[in-house]
Amino acid sequence: MNAPFQARAGLRDPFTAFVCDDATADMLRPVAVEHGWSPEKVNKGGLRNAVQSLSVSASPNILFVDLSESADPLNDINALAEVCEPGTIVIAAGTVNDVRLYRDLVASGIHDYLLKPFTVDQLRDTFAHAQMILSGPRGEAQADKPHVMAAVIGVRGGVGASTIATSLAWLLGEKAHRSTALLDLDVHFGTGALALDLEPGRGLTDAIENPSRIDGLFIERAMVRANERLSVLSAEAPIHQPVVTDGTAFFQLQEEMRNAFESTVLDLPRQMLIQHPHLVHDAHVAVVVAELTLAATRDTIRILAWLKSNAPQTKVVVVANSVPSGGALEISRKDFEQSIERPVDIVFPFDAKLAAQAAKLGKPMAEVASGKMAGPFNTLSGMVLSHASDEGAAAEKSAPAAAKSLVDNLKSMLSKPKEKTAAAA
């Protein structure tokens, strides 16, 4: 309901309210007049009347609903979302003082929840904030900021791809000032919402189970807002329930996010490349996250070859993550680069203290990082935006493939200098 969509102001009423009591109506009417809205748009009947009325009429830009007479506010708000058009900013009021209810209502898509009795100043403040969102530069900015889609792929589990995906999404929102969606496609063990101290909700699992329901309104309801510019779609599906899908839901989610946001970051588990290769077809940039180990080297070679064959239009950024500063490396950076036949673009040093601090605060590492540690994150964000803007440019010239096999490549990487000299002779 209040996700980052631009309302079609000319086609809707600016304001409508549905309240349960005369006191709330008497408070609302003069405030509505202050904003240039008709006091006649303050109706009696609460949420039930709101659902009935909006099922046969267009939604307003700003909708005020009273939940005081609702026995199940969360389910009733979901029923309201079924009849609200994308872009409607919903402000709810009620008598239940429960932080869990507040978080659930916000996750369902409402803009704010006012606990009754509230003051006139509280009402003015929430209306002012709602109007600020409506008047935000969405339409023209969309033309100035073409959509950017980045897929973050870990070559192995535990290399930190999800950490980097969350930080990249935060940077695109906060630093690049883009409305950004983070789509975490690890349905059972995703950490996108967890890293931002959010409840993931059921949006992603509902989408997979009912692809036909996915549209702008569904996205508006399902996305969990981390802040004004970042929304997350993640899941913690029960591990006893396997996900059965042909990938249609993922494709539709990408399409709707492209329409609703200026940037999309896919946290893409590597097995998804095999099952649903179409997921990277529309990605401008693929961020391949690796570590400097023998197994990660092997899988980086394989994933880079897969991307070259299946998504040649996608620019690739290779990231070496959690690189220890003491030099205790299983594979040196030089040998790693020789084996994958291309340079590493960005190196993220290992910093256990920073990772622990970010986890405790419920913030992405990029937000907590400062000084030297912030550099790689800013470089990554800049490269993603730069590559996306160069999408129409000619493809970079790739080095000729070596005649050695994968096994030979890995063996040569670990061979002693003496053996390398003898082989060259």
Side-chain angles (χ1 to χ4, degrees), residues 21-273:
D21 57 84
D22 292 331
T24 303
D26 292 341
M27 183 183 293
L28 269 172
R29 288 190 180 102
V31 176
V33 172
E34 290 175 12
H35 288 79
W37 304 328
S38 170
E40 296 178 357
K41 291 296 181 179
V42 178
N43 306 285
K44 296 292 289 293
L47 187 60
R48 185 183 298 273
N49 190 24
V51 174
Q52 292 176 347
S53 298
L54 296 179
S55 64
V56 295
S57 62
S59 305
N61 290 336
I62 298 174
L63 173 65
F64 182 96
V65 290
D66 194 339
L67 308 180
S68 301
E69 297 177 355
S70 173
D72 190 346
L74 188 58
N75 276 341
D76 288 344
I77 281 290
N78 289 335
L80 177 66
E82 295 288 347
V83 298
C84 269
E85 299 173 36
T88 298
I89 295 181
V90 177
I91 298 166
T95 57
V96 179
N97 187 7
D98 187 341
V99 68
R100 289 172 299 180
L101 173 63
Y102 172 79
R103 294 185 65 178
D104 288 341
L105 289 173
V106 171
S108 295
I110 72 164
H111 170 71
D112 200 1
Y113 176 74
L114 299 177
L115 179 65
K116 299 174 72 174
F118 49 83
T119 66
V120 174
D121 287 338
Q122 287 176 306
L123 196 60
R124 290 192 180 108
D125 286 345
T126 194
F127 282 156
H129 192 241
Q131 284 193 306
M132 183 176 67
I133 294 175
L134 283 174
S135 61
R138 282 291 303 163
E140 295 179 4
Q142 190 72 25
D144 295 336
K145 297 181 180 179
H147 187 269
V148 171
M149 183 176 292
V152 181
I153 306 164
V155 300
R156 295 190 65 76
V159 297
S162 294
T163 298
I164 288 176
T166 306
S167 288
L168 175 60
W170 181 84
L171 284 165
L172 292 175
E174 289 300 303
K175 302 299 183 182
H177 305 292
R178 288 172 161 269
S179 59
T180 303
L182 173 60
L183 176 55
D184 184 352
L185 291 178
D186 189 343
V187 180
H188 291 96
F189 300 101
T191 58
L194 180 65
L196 296 166
D197 194 26
L198 300 170
E199 292 291 335
R202 279 193 47 86
L204 182 54
T205 50
D206 286 346
I208 295 170
E209 292 169 0
N210 303 286
S212 61
R213 291 184 55 202
I214 300 173
D215 55 16
L217 178 59
F218 180 89
I219 291 293
E220 191 175 353
R221 291 180 54 205
M223 300 294 289
V224 180
R225 295 184 66 175
N227 55 46
E228 288 300 321
R229 293 193 180 96
L230 176 60
S231 299
V232 184
L233 190 59
S234 186
E236 293 175 10
I239 58 177
H240 63 273
Q241 294 180 4
V243 174
V244 180
T245 175
D246 61 359
T248 302
F250 303 138
F251 177 79
Q252 290 180 263
L253 285 172
Q254 285 179 299
E255 286 293 307
E256 293 298 334
M257 287 179 179
R258 184 183 294 106
N259 294 330
F261 297 91
E262 293 166 337
S263 306
T264 302
V265 176
L266 305 178
D267 185 354
L268 188 60
R270 59 179 180 164
Q271 65 268 19
M272 300 288 279
L273 294 177

